Amino acid sequence: MSEGVEREAAQPADTAPALLSRTALAVFRLGGQFLAVSERLARPVGLTAARWQVLGAVLGEPLSVAQIARVMGITRQSVQRVADLLVADGLAEYRPNPAHRRAKLLAPTAEGRAAVRAISPGHRGFAGQLCEQLGGEAEFAAVADALRRLSEAVEALEDQHGQIRNR
């Protein structure tokens, strides 16, 4: 056994490093589970989870690729690739951005909105089952709030270049 593994094994289960590791592993697993569920829900209407996510981000209002990336917590390049595919398939369109000449806004087309609407019954059904599994809406809301707070705490510890601040 290496020295680092021995030290890690000797730490009490509730130390901050152990809690961070447990939380990160749970979030990684949950992310994979949500991705798999999203793929299953989106597939019957010809979407992928990534396309559904990007379309969902612009249902309320058109956004630039950079804005979508910030909201979703992924790279601008990833969003750009998906946005271009959505536009090529007629599910979204680029519109002029009055605030920035070069950063066009992505908006869903009628066909894109229809695709997202077609996913809604499956989404509602899974949400209801998950809510029941968690013990009701109050418990589900508490989980969602805890995840939001965790995300905000991590964001607060990162500087503008994505580096972790050491104290």
Side-chain angles (χ1 to χ4, degrees):
M1 198 191 272
S2 74
E3 184 179 315
V5 172
E6 287 174 11
R7 252 189 271 128
E8 188 174 291
Q11 290 181 347
D14 289 333
T15 65
L19 289 170
L20 175 59
S21 294
R22 281 183 25 216
T23 302
L25 289 173
V27 168
F28 295 153
R29 181 170 188 225
L30 182 61
Q33 290 169 319
F34 274 144
L35 184 60
V37 168
S38 296
E39 290 289 352
R40 284 194 301 273
L41 291 173
R43 188 176 307 123
V45 300
L47 291 178
T48 63
R51 290 179 185 205
W52 180 21
Q53 285 177 307
V54 172
L55 273 176
V58 296
L59 286 177
E61 67 176 320
L63 298 172
S64 70
V65 167
Q67 290 171 313
I68 297 166
R70 272 193 298 280
V71 167
M72 294 175 63
I74 58 177
T75 67
R76 189 197 59 73
Q77 292 84 355
S78 296
V79 174
Q80 186 68 64
R81 186 173 52 249
V82 173
D84 288 344
L85 291 170
L86 288 167
V87 169
D89 289 345
L91 298 170
E93 63 186 5
Y94 288 116
R95 295 181 181 168
N97 183 348
H100 193 285
R101 193 174 54 102
R102 290 180 51 214
K104 300 215 179 297
L105 299 174
L106 185 72
T109 61
E111 187 178 343
R113 287 184 184 281
V116 172
R117 270 195 311 276
I119 297 170
S120 291
H123 181 262
R124 259 192 314 279
F126 182 75
Q129 292 173 347
L130 186 56
C131 186
E132 185 178 314
Q133 185 70 30
L134 286 169
E137 288 183 0
E139 186 62 27
F140 203 168
V143 169
D145 189 52
L147 290 171
R148 179 194 50 76
R149 287 190 342 263
L150 178 62
S151 177
E152 288 171 355
V154 170
E155 185 176 45
L157 295 174
E158 292 181 340
D159 68 18
Q160 291 179 341
H161 303 289
Q163 301 296 313
I164 297 172
R165 294 185 192 133
N166 292 317
R167 293 181 189 204

